[in-house]
Amino acid sequence: MLTIFARCKVHYDGRAKSELGPGDRVIIIKPDGAFLIHQNRKREPVNWQPPGSFVTLEERGDILVLRSVRRKPKEVLEVELEDVYLVSVFKAEDYEELALTGSEAEMAEMIFNNPGLIEPGFRPLFREKDIGHGIVDILGRDESGNLVVLELKRRKADLHAVSQLKRYVEALKKEYGRVRGILVAPSLTSGAKKLLEKEGLEFKKVEPPKRESSGRGRQTTLL
Amino acid sequence: MLTIFARCKVHYDGRAKSELGPGDRVIIIKPDGAFLIHQNRKREPVNWQPPGSFVTLEERGDILVLRSVRRKPKEVLEVELEDVYLVSVFKAEDYEELALTGSEAEMAEMIFNNPGLIEPGFRPLFREKDIGHGIVDILGRDESGNLVVLELKRRKADLHAVSQLKRYVEALKKEYGRVRGILVAPSLTSGAKKLLEKEGLEFKKVEPPKRESSGRGRQTTLL
DNA sequence: TTGTACATCTCGGGT
DNA sequence: ACCCGAGGTGTACAA
């Protein structure tokens, strides 16, 4: 990993196009081609290039230019280095992966293992089921045999989530008769609640579970 | 800005929860509280804390622990520093903001200035119009006086975009009679095209414009 | 490669 | 503070 503290200008052209006037920034170049330019505020890099990009350094007239190119989509990032304060190389050895818990995937697991969390008699049948117009989180049947679509959200569900659920329900209605749609989330925005009710869809409050340790990322190696 | 090269372990608990075993990482702490931990691959930090978080350094037994806390939502990030290779401080002076062009906002401007890009006789009336169940990009009327909803996408439109458009059209249908919905984007995914046709919605191919220089971020100062 | 949806999404704008 | 939607979203996963 290469880290540079420098005063620089930045030019980007690709999916969009941007210019950034002179200022001090932290530049990080990773061995996989990821290229980050950070200003002194915000979590997000002001400019970047994704992994898989190729970096070159050229001398253009009197100043150094760092250039990172991505093919497909074609994107070019150029950094005019006006003043370089520090360059450091870090051979970072890292064989660990993040183990994260509290994801939507874990909510789904939990519901499969304990369908009563949704309602008595609920039977989950499919997970990540590709119906014609999208992929349903969980597809199952209720006590009365009605088809039930669950849309899971790990955090407060919004209008987008309701639209998603509605799309699935309507796609299945065409083929099967009555289809229930249940939004499964810790809470709802006000607008989501309104739309959900208008559309005759349902809500079941469920919190994403947090495991004790080790999510799916890295298993505790016992070898 | 504080940059640290270190071998460390990371523990996070907040909206979700994660553990990261020992390895070499680059840590960046910004004056606004943003806290980034980067592994040697990918554009995204493996762990982070958003701006507004508060960082402390404590000695826990024999090892140093960097701790960043965010209130609301309560989130705690702890970095156990097992081996510190480099610590650098960078007083980054930066008064520039990114000027970006090719955004959806610029597509909207372009269409307002030249409504014929949609179709002859189209008249835009509102922009970012809050109808009951969401916010419409552009609301207007066609040659025949029908209400028209435009949903703009700066890149290939997907199922989500179609659902969004459909939600707006249906919300307006209740009040007004026939309402047309047009998805305005450079292209469509296969699924989006299928759903769009099924729902009787329309598509108009439009590319986001790229200005010559300076988007809306920073105007070229002539003073 | 394309499509689809999640994300500790982040961020800005509005109310 | 909440709501809503954009983003050069990035990322993983499946077809």
Side-chain angles (χ1 to χ4, degrees), chain A residues 14-15 17 24-25 30 32 38 42-44 93-94 99 101 154 163 166-167 170 210, chain B residues 14-15 17 19 24-25 30 32 38 42-44 93-94 101 154 163 166-167 170 210:
Chain A
R15 287 169 292 177
K17 189 168 188 284
D24 295 339
R25 284 113 203 186
K30 298 190 181 185
D32 67 356
H38 274 278
K42 299 294 170 193
R43 201 210 79 141
E44 291 301 302
E93 278 202 29
D94 192 348
T101 181
R154 67 170 304 286
S163 289
K166 186 173 176 239
R167 165 155 47 95
E170 292 191 350
K210 284 186 189 175
Chain B
R15 287 168 290 178
K17 188 169 190 281
E19 296 293 330
D24 295 340
R25 284 113 203 187
K30 298 190 182 185
D32 67 356
H38 274 277
K42 298 292 171 193
R43 202 208 78 141
E44 292 302 302
E93 279 201 31
D94 193 347
T101 181
R154 68 168 305 286
S163 289
K166 185 173 177 238
R167 164 153 49 93
E170 292 192 349
K210 284 186 188 174

Side-chain angles (χ1 to χ4, degrees), chain B residues 83-186:
Chain B
D83 205 348
V84 177
Y85 308 116
L86 175 71
V87 177
S88 26
V89 177
F90 182 25
K91 284 178 66 98
E93 279 201 31
D94 193 347
Y95 308 104
E96 294 292 326
E97 277 180 37
L98 189 72
L100 185 136
T101 181
S103 64
E104 185 191 291
E106 287 183 330
M107 282 180 76
E109 266 181 62
M110 179 176 67
I111 289 166
F112 256 80
N113 296 336
N114 190 353
L117 286 172
I118 300 303
E119 64 182 27
F122 174 68
R123 287 174 298 137
L125 298 173
F126 301 95
R127 167 121 162 248
E128 298 288 311
K129 176 70 177 169
D130 195 333
I131 62 179
H133 297 284
I135 300 164
V136 164
D137 279 339
I138 293 179
L139 192 58
R141 290 199 183 273
D142 67 13
E143 208 163 26
S144 322
N146 295 309
L147 213 51
V148 181
V149 179
L150 302 189
E151 174 57 34
L152 312 186
K153 289 297 164 197
R154 68 168 305 286
R155 57 172 184 172
K156 183 183 283 200
D158 57 12
L159 283 173
H160 170 188
V162 180
S163 289
Q164 212 179 326
L165 177 58
K166 185 173 177 238
R167 164 153 49 93
Y168 302 149
V169 168
E170 292 192 349
L172 291 166
K173 256 185 200 159
K174 300 260 154 177
E175 194 138 0
Y176 311 87
R178 167 171 159 68
V179 178
R180 294 173 57 198
I182 308 181
L183 188 48
V184 180

Side-chain angles (χ1 to χ4, degrees), chain A residues 12 14 19 31-32 36 47 56 66 70 90 94-96 112-113 137 140 151 161 176-177 183 185 189 191 209 211 218:
Chain A
Y12 156 75
E19 296 294 331
D32 67 356
L36 309 175
N47 280 111
T56 54
L66 267 173
R70 176 194 198 185
F90 182 26
D94 192 348
Y95 308 104
E96 293 292 324
F112 256 80
N113 295 337
D137 279 340
E151 174 56 36
Y176 311 87
L183 188 48
T189 66
R211 291 198 174 136
R218 189 180 79 97

Side-chain angles (χ1 to χ4, degrees), chain A residues 2-210:
Chain A
L2 191 61
T3 303
I4 302 170
F5 295 173
R7 180 176 175 81
C8 61
K9 287 192 281 188
V10 185
H11 316 278
Y12 156 75
D13 197 354
R15 287 169 292 177
K17 189 168 188 284
S18 75
E19 296 294 331
L20 182 63
D24 295 339
R25 284 113 203 186
V26 174
I27 300 163
I28 296 177
I29 303 173
K30 298 190 181 185
D32 67 356
F35 192 122
L36 309 175
I37 304 173
H38 274 278
Q39 289 182 302
N40 58 13
R41 47 186 214 95
K42 299 294 170 193
R43 201 210 79 141
E44 291 301 302
V46 62
N47 280 111
W48 71 92
Q49 207 65 291
S53 309
F54 294 90
V55 66
T56 54
L57 178 63
E58 47 190 275
E59 207 171 341
R60 193 171 300 171
D62 211 24
I63 74 174
L64 287 172
V65 176
L66 267 173
R67 184 183 162 91
S68 172
V69 177
R70 176 194 198 185
R71 268 98 172 167
K72 234 320 183 135
K74 175 80 173 191
E75 296 193 288
V76 180
L77 182 66
E78 284 190 349
V79 183
E80 289 183 49
L81 299 167
E82 301 190 339
D83 205 349
V84 177
Y85 309 116
L86 175 71
V87 178
S88 26
V89 178
F90 182 26
K91 285 178 65 100
E93 278 202 29
D94 192 348
Y95 308 104
E96 293 292 324
E97 277 178 38
L98 189 72
L100 185 135
T101 181
S103 63
E104 184 190 291
E106 286 182 330
M107 281 181 76
E109 265 181 63
M110 179 177 67
I111 289 165
F112 256 80
N113 295 337
N114 190 353
L117 287 172
I118 300 302
E119 64 182 29
F122 174 68
R123 286 173 298 135
L125 298 172
F126 302 95
R127 166 122 164 247
E128 297 287 311
K129 176 69 177 171
D130 195 334
I131 63 179
H133 298 283
I135 300 164
V136 165
D137 279 340
I138 293 178
L139 192 58
R141 291 198 182 273
D142 67 12
E143 207 164 28
S144 320
N146 295 308
L147 213 51
V148 181
V149 179
L150 302 189
E151 174 56 36
L152 312 186
K153 289 296 164 198
R154 67 170 304 286
R155 59 173 183 169
K156 182 183 284 199
D158 56 13
L159 283 174
H160 169 195
V162 180
S163 289
Q164 208 181 331
L165 176 57
K166 186 173 176 239
R167 165 155 47 95
Y168 302 149
V169 168
E170 292 191 350
L172 291 166
K173 255 184 197 157
K174 301 261 154 176
E175 195 138 1
Y176 311 87
R178 169 172 158 67
V179 178
R180 293 174 58 198
I182 307 180
L183 188 48
V184 181
S187 60
L188 286 176
T189 66
S190 52
K193 184 162 183 290
K194 214 171 44 159
L195 183 59
L196 204 71
E197 287 168 359
K198 193 192 75 155
E199 298 295 347
L201 300 170
E202 304 166 54
F203 170 66
K204 177 66 189 178
K205 179 181 164 67
V206 174
E207 304 275 347
K210 284 186 189 175

